[in-house]
């Protein structure tokens, strides 16, 4: 949501406050003057916040990706890369396969000391980079210090591991049928790739901040700030539990990592890696429950990032694109309808009033808003489905090549990947290769959040359609509702055909709803006539509406107000829909930092806006209830502040008895 002119009202009253302060007697204490300046600063902050909300809405999508999404992705995969670096360090990288044996149970070939030293240095640098990013997200270390440390450290760790991965197979060791590389080697490959990716993402973030495209600090919510910490806790839990089970069950540590992964993700492959001791089976109860809870927190934070912030940003941009296209496609006579109707125009020049024109503009914007919301839901479903399908098919392709010793067909690999993605885990196929197990750990950690997001998007589209269809079918068959069956059938046909056959009836119903305001609002419209005389009554009405809108904010789903309700709330904050004074034709391509045209009337500077413009309350990230609530509270504070100063001035002017 954006601010249609409230910032200028705050500015005007701030200037008036300064004039009142200078007109007061010199006896006005410094304490009162300090309080006044503090409240003026508060109003200025509200204005700055409203302006920032507008500018954020006009920013391209890549601004948000660079400033918010990339740091969160790095904060999630950076600790994962460090965990894989630990896995690459705890075991030698080469084995010889005995006669009749497999690469999973080969004889270890010791690594040279210099390889272990470089591997340990790479891990130490990476851990320092992770700590730097975590402290930066927690605002403990400034951006200018943390980002160079993080980026350079991750690049250094990546290049060191890449060098080791390239050199290890050639150190007095040639690959043959009786020789193989261990899981640790493949964990090193994955870690090197992840370090390079997250360092590149943070380099993009630092580039945008350097050129001042966005602030040099992360604008993150509390859940997003804790995402990196939650990821670290889960990975530490995974590694610690694996170390315990490796000792109890006499497993290799990396095999225990593989077991912990498919256990905590509730996949349950069910191969030879199952607890066989009483202690191992007993510890499984608390270990699995604790891991699932921590994993749920991580997935919840990722879901919040993707479904709330990313989806909202994408929906806002879609709405902006639709708004611009709608204005560009209008004919000249249609664009004329978007221009305010002034009182100076004759009756022959005005076929409708300014209030009616604004109402038609509001309804057009509401239609664009609903279309953009519908498009955003289906695009989100398409993107999440494509990501899930890519994980499925590419994962199956990797398993097909990694398990070639088991002679898997591609269909069998698809089957295994599908049962693992859906956490079914029949156990009829399992991984035995040293390359397949590390890839499965990384792949499954990515796949489970992707599946969660896909199911959530399906709930907003396909599942919601099935649910609504089931309810509609029940109403026309065995579960009749309050409405007649014909009305139910007509309503269903309207949804399916998007009002193609029932547009006139729905339009008439909508017109009636918009023309007739709610009963309480109607009575308050009459009361509003006396507000200029009785300012205390206006304070009462604003306070009453704040309580009502606050209930709307906390109740779901998000409430959408009719034009009659919007007219009422705008009048409470000082706007008049029937007056063209604050209205203007919408801008087609507003740019970041653009200044709206201003008009000067009676010495006041007024910022103009349009329902179809970029300053429309229907645009932006705030819900309509949040927008109204914030403006009502600011208006009430402003009025009470001005009333207090006027009362103080009158008291000071009275002669002392």
């Amino acid at each position: 949501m954006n601010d249609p002119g409230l910032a200028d009202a705050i500015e005007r009253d701030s200037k008036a406050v300064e004039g009142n302060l200078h007109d007061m007697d010199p006896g006005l204490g410094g304490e009162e003057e300090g309080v006044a300046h503090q409240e003026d600063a508060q109003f200025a902050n509200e204005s700055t916040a409203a302006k920032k909300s507008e500018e954020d809405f006009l920013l391209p999508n890549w601004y948000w990706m660079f400033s918010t999404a990339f740091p969160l992705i790095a904060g999630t995969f950076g600790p994962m890369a460090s965990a894989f670096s630990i896995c690459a360090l705890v075991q030698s990288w080469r084995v010889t396969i005995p006669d009749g044996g497999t690469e999973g149970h080969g004889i270890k070939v010791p690594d040279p000391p210099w390889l272990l030293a470089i591997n340990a240095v790479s891990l130490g640098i990476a851990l320092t980079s992770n700590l730097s990013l975590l402290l930066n997200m927690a605002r403990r270390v400034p951006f200018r210090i943390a980002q160079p440390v993080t980026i350079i450290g991750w690049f250094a760790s990546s290049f060191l591991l890449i060098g080791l991965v390239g050199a290890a197979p050639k150190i007095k060791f040639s690959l043959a049928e009786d020789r193989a590389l261990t899981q640790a080697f493949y964990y090193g490959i994955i870690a090197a790739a992840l370090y390079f990716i997250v360092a590149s993402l943070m380099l993009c973030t630092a580039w945008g901040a350097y050129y001042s495209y966005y602030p040099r600090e992360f604008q993150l919510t509390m859940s997003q700030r804790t995402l990196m910490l939650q990821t670290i806790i889960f990975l530490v839990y995974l590694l610690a539990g694996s170390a315990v089970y490796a000792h109890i069950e006499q497993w290799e540590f990396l095999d225990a990592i593989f077991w912990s992964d498919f256990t905590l993700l509730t996949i349950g492959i069910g191969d030879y890696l199952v607890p066989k001791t009483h202690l191992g089976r007993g510890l499984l109860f608390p270990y699995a429950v604790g891991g699932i809870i921590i994993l749920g927190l991580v997935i919840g934070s990722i879901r919040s990032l993707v479904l709330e912030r990313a989806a909202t940003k994408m929906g806002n941009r879609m709405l902006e694109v639709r708004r611009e296209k709608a204005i560009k496609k209008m004919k000249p006579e249609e664009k004329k309808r978007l221009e305010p109707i002034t009182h100076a125009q004759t009756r022959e020049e005005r076929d409708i009033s300014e209030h009616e024109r604004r109402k038609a503009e509001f309804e057009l914007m509401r239609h664009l808003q609903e279309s953009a919301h519908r498009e955003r839901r289906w695009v989100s479903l398409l993107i999440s489905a494509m990501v899930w399908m890519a994980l499925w098919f590419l994962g199956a392709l990797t398993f097909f090549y990694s398990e070639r010793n088991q002679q898997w067909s591609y269909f069998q690999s698809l089957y295994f990947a599908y049962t693992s993605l859906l956490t079914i885990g029949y156990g009829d196929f399992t991984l035995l290769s040293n390359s397949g197990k590390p890839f499965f750990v990384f792949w499954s950690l990515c796949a489970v959040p992707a599946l969660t997001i896909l199911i959530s998007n399906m709930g907003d589209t396909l599942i919601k359609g099935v649910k609504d269809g089931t309810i509609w079918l029940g109403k026309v068959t065995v579960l009749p509702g309050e409405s007649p069956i014909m009305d139910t059938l007509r309503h269903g046909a309207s949804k399916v055909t998007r009002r193609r056959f029932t547009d006139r009836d729905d339009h008439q119903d909508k017109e009636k709803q918009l023309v007739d305001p709610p009963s309480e609002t109607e009575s308050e419209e009459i009361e509003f006539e006396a507000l200029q005389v009785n300012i205390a009554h206006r304070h009462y009405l604003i306070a009453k509406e704040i309580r009502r809108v606050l209930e709307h904010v906390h109740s779901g789903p998000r409430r959408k107000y009719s034009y009659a309700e919007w007219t009422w709330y705008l009048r409470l904050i000082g706007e008049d829909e029937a007056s063209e004074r604050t209205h203007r034709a919408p801008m087609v391509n507003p740019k970041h930092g653009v200044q709206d045209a201003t008009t000067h009337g009676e010495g006041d500077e007024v910022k103009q806006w349009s329902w179809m413009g970029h300053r429309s309350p229907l645009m932006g990230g705030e819900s309509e209830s949040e927008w109204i609530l914030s403006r009502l509270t600011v208006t009430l504070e402003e009025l009470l502040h001005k009333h207090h100063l006027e009362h103080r001035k009158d008291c000071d002017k009275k002669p002392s008895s």
Side-chain angles (χ1 to χ4, degrees), residues 3 79 146 169 181 259 266 273 370 387 457 461:
D3 182 2
L181 298 169
W259 172 85
T266 68
L273 288 174
E370 293 174 354
V387 170
N457 287 327
T461 51

Side-chain angles (χ1 to χ4, degrees), residues 271-299:
D271 60 356
Y272 64 93
L273 288 174
V274 292
K276 296 179 180 179
T277 64
H278 290 299
L279 179 59
R281 291 170 178 171
L283 288 177
L284 177 64
F285 301 143
Y287 179 64
V289 171
I292 292 172
I293 291 175
I294 299 173
L295 179 64
L297 294 175
V298 175
I299 293 177

Side-chain angles (χ1 to χ4, degrees), residues 487-506:
D487 290 347
T488 303
L489 291 172
R490 185 179 62 178
H491 181 68
S494 172
K495 280 192 172 183
V496 172
T497 63
R498 294 187 182 178
R499 303 184 182 91
R500 190 174 302 167
F501 300 119
T502 59
D503 183 66
R504 173 173 296 183
D505 295 333
D506 288 349

Side-chain angles (χ1 to χ4, degrees), residues 466-481 483 485 488:
V466 173
K467 178 182 176 182
D468 293 343
T470 303
I471 295 174
W472 177 84
L473 183 62
K475 288 182 178 180
V476 299
T477 54
V478 296
L479 298 172
S483 303
I485 293 181
T488 303

Side-chain angles (χ1 to χ4, degrees), residues 93-94 109 111-112 114-115 162-175 179-181 185:
W93 285 16
R94 302 163 299 167
V109 176
D111 292 327
W114 61 265
L115 188 147
I162 290 174
L164 292 181
V165 166
K170 302 176 182 178
I171 305 172
K172 299 179 181 180
F173 187 86
S174 59
L175 293 177
R179 297 176 181 179
L181 298 169
F185 174 82

Side-chain angles (χ1 to χ4, degrees), residues 217-236:
E217 61 180 20
F218 298 122
Q219 305 296 323
L220 306 177
T221 63
M222 182 56 66
S223 62
Q224 292 168 349
R225 290 184 184 280
T226 57
L227 174 59
M228 186 176 183
L229 182 59
Q230 292 170 350
T231 304
I232 294 174
I233 293 175
F234 174 75
L235 292 172
V236 170

Side-chain angles (χ1 to χ4, degrees), residues 400-442:
F400 170 69
Y401 283 105
S402 68
E403 302 303 315
R404 57 186 178 274
N405 290 336
Q406 298 191 64
Q407 298 181 346
W408 281 11
S409 67
Y410 185 67
F411 177 78
Q412 289 174 322
S413 300
L414 279 176
Y415 171 79
F416 171 79
Y418 185 80
T419 56
S420 300
L421 273 175
L422 297 184
T423 67
I424 297 173
Y426 285 130
D428 48 348
F429 289 91
T430 189
L431 301 174
L432 298 178
S433 67
N434 286 342
S435 59
K437 291 178 182 178
F439 176 78
F440 179 87
V441 172
F442 169 70

